[in-house]
Amino acid sequence: MRVLGVDPGLTRCGVAVVDGQGGRRAGLVHAGVVRTDPGEDVARRLVTVHAAVVALLDEHRPDVVAVERVFAQHNVRSVMGTAQSAGVVMLAASQVGLAVATHTPSEVKAAVTGNGRADKAQVGLMVARILGLAAAPRPADAADAVALALCQLWRGTADVRRRAAADAAPRSRYAELVRQGASSRRASP
Amino acid sequence: MRVLGVDPGLTRCGVAVVDGQGGRRAGLVHAGVVRTDPGEDVARRLVTVHAAVVALLDEHRPDVVAVERVFAQHNVRSVMGTAQSAGVVMLAASQVGLAVATHTPSEVKAAVTGNGRADKAQVGLMVARILGLAAAPRPADAADAVALALCQLWRGTADVRRRAAADAAPRSRYAELVRQGASSRRASP
């Protein structure tokens, strides 16, 4: 089972690909951050995030995508951008027929450390130990995305199987729609 | 100048295409609502909204897209879905190189009725009068999308011109990325 974990954000979007290898062992395939320029239009920044996730899905072929659940009680300005970023990530996954799971920050911390209120250092320590790394991936957004992927590996398997069949069908229909829209627009004067 | 106005939402997303014909006159090309099933996965619902907007852009070829600005102070649960819906609408527009403008509800009301605190009935009355219709488009989400498009026609022209040049370039690069991702995934077992 290969999972793409995403810690959504407009300025920094953490991304990680993790392979489950049975039990508590897991292998890190990729960890990084998609950055967009805060000076750019939001719409353009969303295109950057979406295109980066499309490219990751294409390169690493995960079986499922896990996205951190966004809450509105944080910083009001940034949460809108975070929600929109999460939206285009979920869109990208569903467009290629993948199931999307969401987990709350406390679910992620509990899955990785056993404590839903663990701090970033504890999460980073456990992420490094589970993956057999000398240190947690940097920056913190990348480590959070790894933790999210691990949470999905251990908590989300049954749920994902349940949805897999329903998620396969619309793939080709959508791809056609996108191509029609893109090609006919590009051919216009 | 042709505008696609969008009143974003996950359950009901109002959409309207309006042609500016100089002065306060305008012509209605299309008004409707994109609906998604509340029982479905959010990711799948976002695919429906995105695909519907792609199809509208393809059919009606607007010059600019105007989206209502989402605020976090409303219902916390629904605002996340509304923000994600707005995100995929902005994405669809920017993916085909169109500029995206946002307007607040009070800007829209002020532009259409002269009063930023006008109620829905007043907005509907003015929308019908401006478009030369016997009554405002139904349901309310469609009428809101028309009002948003009218607001963009009268307030947003200069801003859109400024961004038009910058918005043309990434079109082909993105379309290639999407096609690569879609086609290589579809070819996999």
Side-chain angles (χ1 to χ4, degrees):
Chain A
M1 171 70 70
R2 175 169 284 192
V3 181
L4 169 63
V6 180
D7 181 24
L10 209 44
T11 303
R12 288 185 310 278
C13 181
V15 293
V17 179
V18 171
D19 279 339
Q21 302 170 322
R24 290 281 291 184
R25 293 172 58 211
L28 181 62
V29 178
H30 174 83
V33 174
V34 179
R35 297 172 196 274
T36 74
D37 180 355
E40 228 182 358
D41 281 354
V42 170
R44 183 57 45 79
R45 300 171 75 188
L46 292 171
V47 171
T48 302
V49 172
H50 182 268
V53 172
V54 167
L56 278 169
L57 294 173
D58 189 40
E59 183 176 352
H60 297 293
R61 308 295 176 96
D63 301 298
V64 59
V65 177
V67 182
E68 188 167 292
R69 193 170 295 172
V70 182
F71 290 102
Q73 60 262 38
H74 305 308
N75 182 324
V76 167
R77 280 193 74 84
S78 72
V79 81
M80 289 294 105
T82 305
Q84 291 171 343
S85 165
V88 302
V89 170
M90 295 165 80
L91 176 77
S94 197
Q95 282 175 326
V96 294
L98 292 177
V100 177
T102 59
H103 301 284
T104 66
S106 60
E107 283 169 350
V108 173
K109 290 171 184 173
V112 174
T113 72
N115 172 11
R117 296 179 172 192
D119 62 20
K120 281 199 178 291
Q122 287 175 290
V123 172
L125 190 72
M126 283 306 297
V127 161
R129 189 172 296 172
I130 292 161
L131 298 173
L133 305 173
R138 301 250 167 198
D141 306 86
D144 287 348
V146 173
L148 196 73
L150 293 172
C151 176
Q152 175 61 29
L153 270 182
W154 298 328
R155 291 183 57 128
T157 315
D159 185 45
V160 166
R161 282 202 196 110
R162 183 176 59 73
R163 288 187 290 188
D167 281 342
R171 183 182 300 185
S172 56
R173 185 167 59 88
Y174 173 79
E176 282 157 24
L177 248 183
V178 168
R179 260 204 301 277
Q180 283 171 7
S183 61
S184 56
R185 174 154 299 274
R186 289 173 69 201
S188 72
Chain B
M1 171 72 70
R2 175 169 284 192
V3 180
L4 170 64
V6 181
D7 181 23
L10 208 46
T11 303
R12 288 185 310 277
C13 182
V15 294
V17 179
V18 171
D19 279 340
Q21 301 169 323
R24 291 281 291 185
R25 293 171 58 211
L28 181 63
V29 178
H30 174 83
V33 174
V34 178
R35 297 170 195 274
T36 74
D37 179 355
E40 226 181 0
D41 282 353
V42 170
R44 184 56 46 81
R45 298 171 75 188
L46 292 171
V47 171
T48 302
V49 172
H50 182 268
V53 172
V54 167
L56 278 169
L57 294 174
D58 189 40
E59 182 176 352
H60 297 293
R61 307 295 178 96
D63 301 298
V64 59
V65 176
V67 181
E68 188 167 293
R69 192 170 294 171
V70 182
F71 290 102
Q73 59 261 40
H74 306 308
N75 182 325
V76 167
R77 281 192 73 86
S78 73
V79 82
M80 290 293 105
T82 305
Q84 291 172 342
S85 165
V88 302
V89 171
M90 295 166 80
L91 175 77
S94 197
Q95 282 175 327
V96 293
L98 292 177
V100 177
T102 59
H103 301 285
T104 65
S106 59
E107 283 169 349
V108 173
K109 289 172 185 173
V112 174
T113 71
N115 172 10
R117 296 180 174 190
D119 62 21
K120 281 199 178 289
Q122 288 174 289
V123 172
L125 190 72
M126 283 306 298
V127 161
R129 189 171 296 173
I130 292 160
L131 298 173
L133 304 174
R138 302 249 167 199
D141 307 86
D144 287 348
V146 173
L148 197 74
L150 292 173
C151 176
Q152 175 61 29
L153 269 182
W154 298 328
R155 291 183 58 128
T157 315
D159 185 45
V160 165
R161 281 201 196 110
R162 183 178 60 72
R163 288 187 289 188
D167 281 342
R171 183 182 299 182
S172 56
R173 184 168 59 87
Y174 174 78
E176 281 157 25
L177 248 184
V178 168
R179 262 204 299 276
Q180 283 171 8
S183 60
S184 55
R185 173 155 300 277
R186 288 173 69 201
S188 72

